[in-house]
Amino acid sequence: LLERMAAQNVEHRAVIERIKKERGSELVILGHHYQRKEIVDLADIVGDSFKLARDGARATGRTLVFCGVRFMVESCAVLKRE
């Protein structure tokens, strides 16, 4: 089971890295510091909820991917409008 999970993680990482390369600066991944290491390692910006909401609002990428909880996305959207 652990070997299968590890293989899936490698496969998922490869897909995410490919998408990041294809999209370039248009894609910004924000990862809450409490996420698993595999997620944090792929994030462009890592921090607590406040930092991610603030930095997400400042990000120039066309697509933001939040790895955290929904209210952080809502906070970012509110800040982005200001």
Side-chain angles (χ1 to χ4, degrees):
L1 176 65
L2 291 177
E3 289 177 8
R4 189 173 77 221
M5 288 174 62
Q8 287 175 337
N9 283 344
V10 169
E11 184 179 324
H12 292 152
R13 182 180 184 95
V15 169
I16 293 167
E17 288 175 341
R18 177 182 54 79
I19 292 168
K20 284 180 71 169
K21 186 176 181 179
E22 288 171 2
R23 300 248 179 131
S25 62
E26 287 187 15
L27 172 66
V28 179
I29 299 176
L30 301 111
H32 199 284
H33 61 81
Y34 66 61
Q35 292 289 335
R36 293 182 359 204
K37 181 180 181 337
E38 297 89 348
I39 293 172
V40 170
D41 288 348
L42 289 167
D44 300 302
I45 301 171
V46 177
D48 62 13
S49 299
F50 177 73
K51 178 180 182 351
L52 295 179
R54 185 187 60 210
D55 290 357
R58 294 178 183 159
T60 58
R62 213 179 131 158
T63 304
L64 301 180
V65 176
F66 268 89
C67 302
V69 293
R70 181 179 177 91
F71 78 84
M72 293 184 328
V73 175
E74 294 165 351
S75 299
C76 178
V78 168
L79 292 172
K80 193 91 169 157
R81 284 182 276 191
E82 293 179 357

